[in-house]
Amino acid sequence: MPVLLYIHGFNSSERSHKANVLVEAVAKMGLPQAVISPRLSWQPAKAIQQLEALIEANLSEGVTLIGSSLGGFYAGYLAEKYQLNAILVNPAVQAPSLLTHHLGHQENPYTQEVYELTPAHMAELDALVVEPTPERYWLMIQEGDEVLDYRAALAAFPHVARLTQEPNGDHRFVDFERFIPEILRFAQITTD
């Protein structure tokens, strides 16, 4: 069975709202293995290693990525490396420059993990910058995103296969759950 791999954002966790909505939806359908939502390392290179292992373990069944914020940045890199389709939800397309504003002491509010974000981690992010193949992507953005400028995502991912652009909203993507049926079809988990 194809799987949908959810990639959470910076200082988030595998139990974010969007992850929970997806996990609950497939559980209600009797397909609990259809969504994989791992807790990722805060270190970019280690997070990518974790995701690559999950992708490689499920490639034969089919993998679609869905990434939110920093997870959207990771999804872009992985989609190109493995030639996968990906859904990018308010992606942090300029992650290497954006996260330089967060260098230093960090505490993840979801996991309480405390760590130090350094310039070496920005170099790890720089290594993940890729040129996107537009037909792989469904870009989901809300113009009211208070964290990221939605125009950067539009510029980075022009001519995507599918675009959902909504006025207002926020970084969490308001009413994300209304897209669950379409997301599961995009990931070929359901066909109806």
Side-chain angles (χ1 to χ4, degrees), residues 7-69:
I7 308 172
H8 68 72
F10 177 67
N11 277 342
S12 187
S13 83
E14 77 282 9
R15 306 207 45 60
S16 72
H17 173 71
K18 289 182 285 296
N20 285 340
V21 167
L22 288 165
V23 167
E24 289 169 14
V26 294
K28 285 179 186 171
M29 298 168 64
L31 304 169
Q33 295 85 9
V35 171
I36 301 171
S37 180
R39 177 178 292 186
L40 298 174
S41 171
W42 58 268
Q43 299 174 68
K46 286 187 179 179
I48 290 297
Q49 288 173 350
Q50 289 175 270
L51 292 164
E52 288 174 341
L54 288 167
I55 290 167
E56 290 168 14
N58 289 281
L59 261 181
S60 63
E61 298 296 319
V63 177
T64 299
L65 308 172
I66 180 166
S68 176
S69 194

Side-chain angles (χ1 to χ4, degrees), residues 132-183:
T133 307
E135 59 268 19
R136 296 191 201 290
Y137 299 97
W138 175 3
L139 179 61
M140 298 177 68
I141 54 175
Q142 289 187 329
E143 295 174 10
D145 186 334
E146 71 283 6
V147 176
L148 302 170
D149 185 341
Y150 73 93
R151 292 170 290 208
L154 289 173
F157 289 89
H159 318 297
V160 290
R162 183 166 181 178
L163 173 64
T164 300
Q165 180 178 352
E166 298 181 339
N168 306 315
D170 62 24
H171 189 60
R172 284 185 58 185
F173 203 95
V174 172
D175 296 330
F176 173 78
E177 43 282 329
R178 69 197 142 106
F179 289 97
I180 297 299
E182 292 172 71
I183 288 169

